[in-house]
Amino acid sequence: MKKVEAIIKPFKLDDVREALSEIGITGMTVTEVKGFGRQKGHTELYRGAEYVVDFLPKMRLEVVVTDEQVERCVEAISSAARTGRIGDGKIFVADVDRVIRIRTGEEDEQAV
């Protein structure tokens, strides 16, 4: 099993969720986060004062999938989140050793 974690632009969340749903992936965790990479930040004007916004709003999406689903999952996220502009985000794939569904006690692929 693998954990696929994606950092994407907030307005792309619905597109990514729909793309994952189309390939049969429905369970996911979404967190509002802030950060920056090459996109750095930008300046804004508030009540006549200019200030720098260093951390930009992003969404972190976490999905645990079977080994067979990983490539389709990554492709679905990548194509749905891509705008072609800086700051589109990143996808991380990591091994998952064990999953347990708390309610039933099911483990591993049955728990996903």
Side-chain angles (χ1 to χ4, degrees):
M1 290 178 300
K2 304 284 186 194
K3 178 180 179 182
V4 179
E5 183 176 328
I7 308 295
I8 62 172
K9 291 182 175 184
F11 67 89
K12 284 295 197 173
L13 179 61
D14 284 336
D15 294 341
V16 170
R17 184 188 50 77
E18 287 174 20
L20 290 173
S21 183
E22 286 174 11
I23 63 168
I25 298 172
T26 55
M28 63 191 71
T29 301
V30 177
T31 312
E32 292 181 23
V33 296
K34 292 184 180 219
F36 72 92
R38 290 186 184 159
Q39 194 177 8
K40 305 260 185 321
H42 62 278
T43 58
E44 289 188 5
L45 201 59
Y46 179 73
R47 294 189 176 184
E50 190 175 283
Y51 65 99
V52 177
V53 177
D54 289 329
F55 294 99
L56 300 170
K58 301 286 183 179
M59 300 301 283
R60 179 174 60 204
L61 175 73
E62 296 171 284
V63 182
V64 176
V65 296
T66 63
D67 291 338
E68 295 79 31
Q69 294 175 306
V70 173
E71 287 308 314
R72 289 186 313 157
C73 178
V74 168
E75 180 55 38
I77 294 170
S78 182
S79 61
R82 183 177 295 121
T83 66
R85 288 177 272 147
I86 195 167
D88 276 351
K90 297 252 188 315
I91 299 173
F92 306 95
V93 180
D95 289 326
V96 173
D97 294 329
R98 191 172 176 200
V99 176
I100 299 138
R101 177 173 285 137
I102 294 172
R103 180 178 55 88
T104 62
E106 292 172 303
E107 293 196 26
D108 300 327
E109 291 185 8
Q110 290 79 30
V112 176

